[in-house]
Amino acid sequence: SRLAERSLKRELAQRAWQTAQREIAVSPRYAGLQLEPVLGLLPLGPDPVTGLWEFWHLETGSQPPRDEAGRHRLTQESGLVMVLIPAGSFQMGAARDEEARPVHGVKLPAFFLSKFEVTQEQWLRSTGLNRSEYRAGTTLAGQKVGEGHPVERVSFEDASFWAARVSLRLPSEAEWEYAARAGGGPFAGSLKASELEGYANLADQTLKGIVQGAQLVPWRDGHLLHAPVGSYRPNGFGLYDVAGNVYEWVEDTYRYGYEGASPVGKAETRLPGGAQLRFVYRGGGFLSSASLADSTQRNSQVPEW
């Protein structure tokens, strides 16, 4: 009831939603979308670069401030910023790997996705626990991990439970790839490592001689471990760290070759007969090569991993 009061019933909330509904309906980015108010969200306005509308998720913290350029940044107290991703169609998959990742058309309705990875502070505030291997206060090779670094070592079970606890869900695999590609640019299925420079925290030259057998990208990204969320450039939808930093779980169970994939991007959670229960994770991490951070790359693990 308090959440409904803050996000829907107060005069300021109602005015914010009326403005958002009016402007989204006429925005060329949203093609006439008639958005209904959402419990737990408050409109923050459009991103000054992408034009996509962003919303404060009240359950996860205080209102995120804007930087000098007008883009939202997280503080230790900040809640999630949810971006309204516009509806669209795209070709999901990789032509170079037609057997495991066959290219197929997907048409998605508009949906919300977090602008940033979940920070350790946001996770701790909601659960009272932080099981990250490199948690806030850790120092390695002179680099200190803070509360604004992403939470990691989170199983699928924990991630999906946390999302439901704060009135969210994990994205479907199709939603994640569509959002990561953002209509083009260095995230659109490219394997060229140079295109990810400045966008992603990957296995870089800092790790030379430390990590054996890794395919290092040919630059230094400034972080031996994961970086504070939002440290690098965002993609075309204004989303940070969709490549590198830490992997992200999606809602789908793993099915080889996208067996039974939905043409409208809904998560596939059923399993073919006799298959082991494994869920998909995407995006690469700070120890990943550029190829593993490719927007079409798929990985899977058991839900308790």
mmCIF file of all heavy atoms in Angstrom, residues 206-247:
data_model
loop_
_atom_site.group_PDB
_atom_site.id
_atom_site.type_symbol
_atom_site.label_atom_id
_atom_site.label_comp_id
_atom_site.label_asym_id
_atom_site.label_seq_id
_atom_site.Cartn_x
_atom_site.Cartn_y
_atom_site.Cartn_z
ATOM 1 N N THR A 206 46.298 -5.950 -18.544
ATOM 2 C CA THR A 206 46.670 -5.958 -17.131
ATOM 3 C C THR A 206 46.897 -7.383 -16.633
ATOM 4 O O THR A 206 47.678 -7.625 -15.701
ATOM 5 C CB THR A 206 45.566 -5.297 -16.276
ATOM 6 O OG1 THR A 206 45.268 -4.013 -16.810
ATOM 7 C CG2 THR A 206 45.984 -5.157 -14.833
ATOM 8 N N LEU A 207 46.223 -8.355 -17.271
ATOM 9 C CA LEU A 207 46.282 -9.750 -16.829
ATOM 10 C C LEU A 207 47.410 -10.530 -17.486
ATOM 11 O O LEU A 207 47.562 -11.726 -17.217
ATOM 12 C CB LEU A 207 44.946 -10.433 -17.132
ATOM 13 C CG LEU A 207 43.717 -9.844 -16.438
ATOM 14 C CD1 LEU A 207 42.457 -10.511 -16.953
ATOM 15 C CD2 LEU A 207 43.823 -9.985 -14.934
ATOM 16 N N LYS A 208 48.191 -9.886 -18.338
ATOM 17 C CA LYS A 208 49.261 -10.576 -19.032
ATOM 18 C C LYS A 208 50.253 -11.154 -18.019
ATOM 19 O O LYS A 208 50.783 -10.452 -17.162
ATOM 20 C CB LYS A 208 49.975 -9.614 -19.982
ATOM 21 C CG LYS A 208 50.903 -10.305 -20.967
ATOM 22 C CD LYS A 208 51.406 -9.325 -22.009
ATOM 23 C CE LYS A 208 52.265 -10.037 -23.051
ATOM 24 N NZ LYS A 208 52.714 -9.089 -24.108
ATOM 25 N N GLY A 209 50.495 -12.447 -18.104
ATOM 26 C CA GLY A 209 51.397 -13.116 -17.179
ATOM 27 C C GLY A 209 50.740 -13.541 -15.881
ATOM 28 O O GLY A 209 51.346 -14.233 -15.069
ATOM 29 N N ILE A 210 49.479 -13.112 -15.662
ATOM 30 C CA ILE A 210 48.751 -13.470 -14.435
ATOM 31 C C ILE A 210 47.754 -14.591 -14.710
ATOM 32 O O ILE A 210 47.671 -15.576 -13.975
ATOM 33 C CB ILE A 210 48.025 -12.245 -13.847
ATOM 34 C CG1 ILE A 210 49.034 -11.143 -13.504
ATOM 35 C CG2 ILE A 210 47.196 -12.633 -12.622
ATOM 36 C CD1 ILE A 210 48.382 -9.862 -13.029
ATOM 37 N N VAL A 211 46.958 -14.419 -15.783
ATOM 38 C CA VAL A 211 45.962 -15.417 -16.171
ATOM 39 C C VAL A 211 46.499 -16.194 -17.361
ATOM 40 O O VAL A 211 46.770 -15.621 -18.417
ATOM 41 C CB VAL A 211 44.617 -14.742 -16.532
ATOM 42 C CG1 VAL A 211 43.615 -15.793 -16.993
ATOM 43 C CG2 VAL A 211 44.076 -13.984 -15.328
ATOM 44 N N GLN A 212 46.691 -17.480 -17.207
ATOM 45 C CA GLN A 212 47.269 -18.307 -18.247
ATOM 46 C C GLN A 212 46.192 -18.773 -19.238
ATOM 47 O O GLN A 212 45.089 -19.150 -18.851
ATOM 48 C CB GLN A 212 47.948 -19.542 -17.628
ATOM 49 C CG GLN A 212 49.044 -19.197 -16.626
ATOM 50 C CD GLN A 212 50.162 -18.392 -17.249
ATOM 51 O OE1 GLN A 212 50.604 -18.664 -18.360
ATOM 52 N NE2 GLN A 212 50.632 -17.371 -16.520
ATOM 53 N N GLY A 213 46.539 -18.718 -20.527
ATOM 54 C CA GLY A 213 45.651 -19.246 -21.554
ATOM 55 C C GLY A 213 44.524 -18.327 -21.960
ATOM 56 O O GLY A 213 43.700 -18.699 -22.792
ATOM 57 N N ALA A 214 44.424 -17.148 -21.396
ATOM 58 C CA ALA A 214 43.331 -16.239 -21.733
ATOM 59 C C ALA A 214 43.632 -15.496 -23.030
ATOM 60 O O ALA A 214 44.780 -15.161 -23.322
ATOM 61 C CB ALA A 214 43.121 -15.228 -20.607
ATOM 62 N N GLN A 215 42.596 -15.252 -23.825
ATOM 63 C CA GLN A 215 42.719 -14.436 -25.030
ATOM 64 C C GLN A 215 42.505 -12.980 -24.626
ATOM 65 O O GLN A 215 41.378 -12.516 -24.503
ATOM 66 C CB GLN A 215 41.699 -14.874 -26.074
ATOM 67 C CG GLN A 215 41.942 -16.272 -26.622
ATOM 68 C CD GLN A 215 40.894 -16.655 -27.632
ATOM 69 O OE1 GLN A 215 39.703 -16.694 -27.358
ATOM 70 N NE2 GLN A 215 41.351 -16.948 -28.840
ATOM 71 N N LEU A 216 43.588 -12.287 -24.391
ATOM 72 C CA LEU A 216 43.503 -10.923 -23.864
ATOM 73 C C LEU A 216 43.179 -9.924 -24.965
ATOM 74 O O LEU A 216 43.695 -10.018 -26.074
ATOM 75 C CB LEU A 216 44.817 -10.537 -23.185
ATOM 76 C CG LEU A 216 45.345 -11.473 -22.095
ATOM 77 C CD1 LEU A 216 46.642 -10.923 -21.526
ATOM 78 C CD2 LEU A 216 44.310 -11.657 -21.001
ATOM 79 N N VAL A 217 42.327 -8.952 -24.630
ATOM 80 C CA VAL A 217 42.076 -7.866 -25.569
ATOM 81 C C VAL A 217 43.309 -6.960 -25.593
ATOM 82 O O VAL A 217 44.053 -6.891 -24.597
ATOM 83 C CB VAL A 217 40.813 -7.067 -25.178
ATOM 84 C CG1 VAL A 217 39.575 -7.948 -25.301
ATOM 85 C CG2 VAL A 217 40.928 -6.499 -23.765
ATOM 86 N N PRO A 218 43.562 -6.250 -26.695
ATOM 87 C CA PRO A 218 44.827 -5.525 -26.835
ATOM 88 C C PRO A 218 44.844 -4.140 -26.199
ATOM 89 O O PRO A 218 45.471 -3.233 -26.724
ATOM 90 C CB PRO A 218 44.979 -5.433 -28.363
ATOM 91 C CG PRO A 218 43.583 -5.385 -28.867
ATOM 92 C CD PRO A 218 42.793 -6.281 -27.944
ATOM 93 N N TRP A 219 44.171 -3.947 -25.081
ATOM 94 C CA TRP A 219 44.197 -2.666 -24.385
ATOM 95 C C TRP A 219 44.078 -2.904 -22.883
ATOM 96 O O TRP A 219 43.815 -4.010 -22.426
ATOM 97 C CB TRP A 219 43.069 -1.744 -24.873
ATOM 98 C CG TRP A 219 41.686 -2.185 -24.486
ATOM 99 C CD1 TRP A 219 41.040 -1.982 -23.292
ATOM 100 C CD2 TRP A 219 40.755 -2.920 -25.291
ATOM 101 N NE1 TRP A 219 39.784 -2.545 -23.303
ATOM 102 C CE2 TRP A 219 39.584 -3.118 -24.524
ATOM 103 C CE3 TRP A 219 40.797 -3.427 -26.582
ATOM 104 C CZ2 TRP A 219 38.480 -3.798 -25.008
ATOM 105 C CZ3 TRP A 219 39.688 -4.104 -27.071
ATOM 106 C CH2 TRP A 219 38.556 -4.292 -26.280
ATOM 107 N N ARG A 220 44.275 -1.857 -22.121
ATOM 108 C CA ARG A 220 44.086 -1.905 -20.665
ATOM 109 C C ARG A 220 42.787 -1.176 -20.338
ATOM 110 O O ARG A 220 42.611 -0.017 -20.725
ATOM 111 C CB ARG A 220 45.265 -1.242 -19.946
ATOM 112 C CG ARG A 220 46.570 -2.025 -20.085
ATOM 113 C CD ARG A 220 47.725 -1.309 -19.381
ATOM 114 N NE ARG A 220 48.954 -2.057 -19.504
ATOM 115 C CZ ARG A 220 49.368 -2.964 -18.636
ATOM 116 N NH1 ARG A 220 48.656 -3.221 -17.544
ATOM 117 N NH2 ARG A 220 50.498 -3.618 -18.824
ATOM 118 N N ASP A 221 41.897 -1.859 -19.617
ATOM 119 C CA ASP A 221 40.606 -1.234 -19.302
ATOM 120 C C ASP A 221 40.576 -0.590 -17.924
ATOM 121 O O ASP A 221 39.562 -0.025 -17.515
ATOM 122 C CB ASP A 221 39.459 -2.242 -19.439
ATOM 123 C CG ASP A 221 39.636 -3.499 -18.587
ATOM 124 O OD1 ASP A 221 40.164 -3.390 -17.450
ATOM 125 O OD2 ASP A 221 39.241 -4.583 -19.032
ATOM 126 N N GLY A 222 41.693 -0.672 -17.186
ATOM 127 C CA GLY A 222 41.793 0.029 -15.913
ATOM 128 C C GLY A 222 41.364 -0.752 -14.694
ATOM 129 O O GLY A 222 41.464 -0.245 -13.571
ATOM 130 N N HIS A 223 40.888 -1.990 -14.900
ATOM 131 C CA HIS A 223 40.396 -2.762 -13.752
ATOM 132 C C HIS A 223 40.865 -4.205 -13.855
ATOM 133 O O HIS A 223 40.606 -4.887 -14.846
ATOM 134 C CB HIS A 223 38.873 -2.708 -13.670
ATOM 135 C CG HIS A 223 38.356 -1.361 -13.267
ATOM 136 N ND1 HIS A 223 38.240 -0.960 -11.957
ATOM 137 C CD2 HIS A 223 37.961 -0.303 -14.025
ATOM 138 C CE1 HIS A 223 37.778 0.282 -11.911
ATOM 139 N NE2 HIS A 223 37.601 0.695 -13.146
ATOM 140 N N LEU A 224 41.512 -4.672 -12.803
ATOM 141 C CA LEU A 224 41.947 -6.059 -12.727
ATOM 142 C C LEU A 224 40.756 -6.969 -12.437
ATOM 143 O O LEU A 224 40.655 -8.080 -12.960
ATOM 144 C CB LEU A 224 43.006 -6.204 -11.629
ATOM 145 C CG LEU A 224 43.697 -7.557 -11.483
ATOM 146 C CD1 LEU A 224 44.489 -7.886 -12.745
ATOM 147 C CD2 LEU A 224 44.620 -7.554 -10.265
ATOM 148 N N LEU A 225 39.848 -6.492 -11.580
ATOM 149 C CA LEU A 225 38.614 -7.209 -11.239
ATOM 150 C C LEU A 225 37.444 -6.525 -11.936
ATOM 151 O O LEU A 225 37.632 -5.771 -12.880
ATOM 152 C CB LEU A 225 38.421 -7.198 -9.720
ATOM 153 C CG LEU A 225 39.554 -7.794 -8.888
ATOM 154 C CD1 LEU A 225 39.292 -7.572 -7.403
ATOM 155 C CD2 LEU A 225 39.702 -9.279 -9.189
ATOM 156 N N HIS A 226 36.235 -6.798 -11.453
ATOM 157 C CA HIS A 226 35.091 -6.062 -11.994
ATOM 158 C C HIS A 226 35.193 -4.595 -11.593
ATOM 159 O O HIS A 226 35.812 -4.235 -10.580
ATOM 160 C CB HIS A 226 33.758 -6.666 -11.549
ATOM 161 C CG HIS A 226 33.664 -7.080 -10.116
ATOM 162 N ND1 HIS A 226 33.809 -6.215 -9.058
ATOM 163 C CD2 HIS A 226 33.433 -8.296 -9.563
ATOM 164 C CE1 HIS A 226 33.650 -6.849 -7.927
ATOM 165 N NE2 HIS A 226 33.439 -8.131 -8.202
ATOM 166 N N ALA A 227 34.596 -3.747 -12.404
ATOM 167 C CA ALA A 227 34.625 -2.300 -12.198
ATOM 168 C C ALA A 227 33.311 -1.843 -11.578
ATOM 169 O O ALA A 227 32.289 -2.533 -11.668
ATOM 170 C CB ALA A 227 34.829 -1.594 -13.540
ATOM 171 N N PRO A 228 33.283 -0.666 -10.939
ATOM 172 C CA PRO A 228 31.997 -0.126 -10.490
ATOM 173 C C PRO A 228 31.023 -0.057 -11.668
ATOM 174 O O PRO A 228 31.430 0.279 -12.786
ATOM 175 C CB PRO A 228 32.360 1.282 -9.994
ATOM 176 C CG PRO A 228 33.814 1.200 -9.638
ATOM 177 C CD PRO A 228 34.414 0.235 -10.614
ATOM 178 N N VAL A 229 29.777 -0.401 -11.442
ATOM 179 C CA VAL A 229 28.816 -0.424 -12.547
ATOM 180 C C VAL A 229 28.748 0.959 -13.200
ATOM 181 O O VAL A 229 28.841 1.983 -12.534
ATOM 182 C CB VAL A 229 27.420 -0.875 -12.084
ATOM 183 C CG1 VAL A 229 27.472 -2.262 -11.474
ATOM 184 C CG2 VAL A 229 26.805 0.101 -11.094
ATOM 185 N N GLY A 230 28.623 0.961 -14.510
ATOM 186 C CA GLY A 230 28.528 2.214 -15.241
ATOM 187 C C GLY A 230 29.848 2.923 -15.465
ATOM 188 O O GLY A 230 29.862 4.116 -15.770
ATOM 189 N N SER A 231 30.966 2.220 -15.352
ATOM 190 C CA SER A 231 32.284 2.846 -15.505
ATOM 191 C C SER A 231 32.653 3.100 -16.962
ATOM 192 O O SER A 231 33.522 3.924 -17.243
ATOM 193 C CB SER A 231 33.370 1.972 -14.870
ATOM 194 O OG SER A 231 33.227 1.909 -13.480
ATOM 195 N N TYR A 232 32.025 2.383 -17.880
ATOM 196 C CA TYR A 232 32.383 2.483 -19.294
ATOM 197 C C TYR A 232 31.251 3.122 -20.091
ATOM 198 O O TYR A 232 30.238 3.536 -19.538
ATOM 199 C CB TYR A 232 32.749 1.095 -19.834
ATOM 200 C CG TYR A 232 33.873 0.463 -19.052
ATOM 201 C CD1 TYR A 232 33.614 -0.365 -17.957
ATOM 202 C CD2 TYR A 232 35.197 0.727 -19.369
ATOM 203 C CE1 TYR A 232 34.646 -0.916 -17.222
ATOM 204 C CE2 TYR A 232 36.242 0.181 -18.637
ATOM 205 C CZ TYR A 232 35.963 -0.637 -17.565
ATOM 206 O OH TYR A 232 36.987 -1.176 -16.824
ATOM 207 N N ARG A 233 31.424 3.206 -21.380
ATOM 208 C CA ARG A 233 30.418 3.848 -22.226
ATOM 209 C C ARG A 233 29.182 2.969 -22.351
ATOM 210 O O ARG A 233 29.288 1.734 -22.418
ATOM 211 C CB ARG A 233 31.003 4.129 -23.607
ATOM 212 C CG ARG A 233 32.134 5.142 -23.610
ATOM 213 C CD ARG A 233 32.897 5.138 -24.918
ATOM 214 N NE ARG A 233 32.047 5.475 -26.047
ATOM 215 C CZ ARG A 233 32.444 5.391 -27.320
ATOM 216 N NH1 ARG A 233 33.661 4.940 -27.606
ATOM 217 N NH2 ARG A 233 31.628 5.736 -28.291
ATOM 218 N N PRO A 234 27.982 3.561 -22.418
ATOM 219 C CA PRO A 234 26.760 2.769 -22.595
ATOM 220 C C PRO A 234 26.539 2.414 -24.059
ATOM 221 O O PRO A 234 27.149 3.016 -24.961
ATOM 222 C CB PRO A 234 25.664 3.722 -22.093
ATOM 223 C CG PRO A 234 26.193 5.083 -22.444
ATOM 224 C CD PRO A 234 27.689 5.005 -22.246
ATOM 225 N N ASN A 235 25.644 1.462 -24.300
ATOM 226 C CA ASN A 235 25.314 1.116 -25.676
ATOM 227 C C ASN A 235 24.228 2.053 -26.214
ATOM 228 O O ASN A 235 23.876 3.051 -25.575
ATOM 229 C CB ASN A 235 24.910 -0.366 -25.796
ATOM 230 C CG ASN A 235 23.524 -0.670 -25.226
ATOM 231 O OD1 ASN A 235 22.830 0.185 -24.676
ATOM 232 N ND2 ASN A 235 23.105 -1.921 -25.356
ATOM 233 N N GLY A 236 23.679 1.739 -27.373
ATOM 234 C CA GLY A 236 22.724 2.625 -28.027
ATOM 235 C C GLY A 236 21.406 2.781 -27.310
ATOM 236 O O GLY A 236 20.636 3.710 -27.620
ATOM 237 N N PHE A 237 21.104 1.920 -26.364
ATOM 238 C CA PHE A 237 19.900 2.064 -25.534
ATOM 239 C C PHE A 237 20.227 2.703 -24.186
ATOM 240 O O PHE A 237 19.352 2.795 -23.317
ATOM 241 C CB PHE A 237 19.233 0.707 -25.306
ATOM 242 C CG PHE A 237 18.448 0.181 -26.481
ATOM 243 C CD1 PHE A 237 18.129 -1.170 -26.563
ATOM 244 C CD2 PHE A 237 18.022 1.018 -27.502
ATOM 245 C CE1 PHE A 237 17.395 -1.677 -27.634
ATOM 246 C CE2 PHE A 237 17.294 0.529 -28.588
ATOM 247 C CZ PHE A 237 16.982 -0.828 -28.651
ATOM 248 N N GLY A 238 21.478 3.110 -23.994
ATOM 249 C CA GLY A 238 21.870 3.718 -22.723
ATOM 250 C C GLY A 238 22.112 2.721 -21.618
ATOM 251 O O GLY A 238 22.129 3.083 -20.441
ATOM 252 N N LEU A 239 22.345 1.453 -21.968
ATOM 253 C CA LEU A 239 22.576 0.390 -20.990
ATOM 254 C C LEU A 239 24.073 0.188 -20.807
ATOM 255 O O LEU A 239 24.825 0.149 -21.782
ATOM 256 C CB LEU A 239 21.940 -0.922 -21.454
ATOM 257 C CG LEU A 239 20.454 -0.877 -21.805
ATOM 258 C CD1 LEU A 239 20.023 -2.205 -22.419
ATOM 259 C CD2 LEU A 239 19.611 -0.557 -20.580
ATOM 260 N N TYR A 240 24.495 0.023 -19.559
ATOM 261 C CA TYR A 240 25.908 -0.138 -19.240
ATOM 262 C C TYR A 240 26.266 -1.601 -18.996
ATOM 263 O O TYR A 240 25.445 -2.377 -18.489
ATOM 264 C CB TYR A 240 26.268 0.671 -17.992
ATOM 265 C CG TYR A 240 26.213 2.170 -18.179
ATOM 266 C CD1 TYR A 240 25.029 2.875 -17.974
ATOM 267 C CD2 TYR A 240 27.339 2.881 -18.578
ATOM 268 C CE1 TYR A 240 24.977 4.258 -18.143
ATOM 269 C CE2 TYR A 240 27.301 4.259 -18.744
ATOM 270 C CZ TYR A 240 26.124 4.944 -18.532
ATOM 271 O OH TYR A 240 26.071 6.299 -18.714
ATOM 272 N N ASP A 241 27.505 -1.957 -19.342
ATOM 273 C CA ASP A 241 28.093 -3.259 -18.982
ATOM 274 C C ASP A 241 27.336 -4.454 -19.545
ATOM 275 O O ASP A 241 27.342 -5.528 -18.949
ATOM 276 C CB ASP A 241 28.205 -3.395 -17.451
ATOM 277 C CG ASP A 241 29.031 -2.283 -16.826
ATOM 278 O OD1 ASP A 241 30.129 -2.003 -17.344
ATOM 279 O OD2 ASP A 241 28.574 -1.686 -15.824
ATOM 280 N N VAL A 242 26.674 -4.293 -20.699
ATOM 281 C CA VAL A 242 26.049 -5.471 -21.307
ATOM 282 C C VAL A 242 27.109 -6.411 -21.857
ATOM 283 O O VAL A 242 26.847 -7.601 -22.069
ATOM 284 C CB VAL A 242 25.034 -5.099 -22.412
ATOM 285 C CG1 VAL A 242 23.812 -4.435 -21.824
ATOM 286 C CG2 VAL A 242 25.659 -4.217 -23.475
ATOM 287 N N ALA A 243 28.304 -5.888 -22.101
ATOM 288 C CA ALA A 243 29.457 -6.738 -22.437
ATOM 289 C C ALA A 243 30.473 -6.593 -21.316
ATOM 290 O O ALA A 243 30.816 -5.491 -20.907
ATOM 291 C CB ALA A 243 30.070 -6.318 -23.765
ATOM 292 N N GLY A 244 30.950 -7.721 -20.797
ATOM 293 C CA GLY A 244 31.981 -7.691 -19.777
ATOM 294 C C GLY A 244 31.483 -7.354 -18.386
ATOM 295 O O GLY A 244 30.284 -7.311 -18.114
ATOM 296 N N ASN A 245 32.429 -7.138 -17.499
ATOM 297 C CA ASN A 245 32.230 -6.853 -16.067
ATOM 298 C C ASN A 245 31.747 -8.101 -15.334
ATOM 299 O O ASN A 245 32.528 -8.764 -14.680
ATOM 300 C CB ASN A 245 31.319 -5.656 -15.835
ATOM 301 C CG ASN A 245 31.806 -4.798 -14.674
ATOM 302 O OD1 ASN A 245 32.989 -4.763 -14.371
ATOM 303 N ND2 ASN A 245 30.899 -4.097 -14.021
ATOM 304 N N VAL A 246 30.448 -8.426 -15.378
ATOM 305 C CA VAL A 246 29.979 -9.724 -14.885
ATOM 306 C C VAL A 246 28.902 -10.251 -15.831
ATOM 307 O O VAL A 246 28.217 -9.485 -16.500
ATOM 308 C CB VAL A 246 29.411 -9.648 -13.441
ATOM 309 C CG1 VAL A 246 30.503 -9.342 -12.440
ATOM 310 C CG2 VAL A 246 28.274 -8.649 -13.324
ATOM 311 N N TYR A 247 28.793 -11.575 -15.898
ATOM 312 C CA TYR A 247 27.731 -12.206 -16.694
ATOM 313 C C TYR A 247 26.362 -11.899 -16.088
ATOM 314 O O TYR A 247 26.244 -11.606 -14.898
ATOM 315 C CB TYR A 247 27.916 -13.717 -16.716
ATOM 316 C CG TYR A 247 28.980 -14.238 -17.650
ATOM 317 C CD1 TYR A 247 30.261 -14.521 -17.180
ATOM 318 C CD2 TYR A 247 28.699 -14.478 -18.992
ATOM 319 C CE1 TYR A 247 31.245 -15.034 -18.034
ATOM 320 C CE2 TYR A 247 29.657 -14.985 -19.845
ATOM 321 C CZ TYR A 247 30.932 -15.260 -19.367
ATOM 322 O OH TYR A 247 31.884 -15.758 -20.201
#
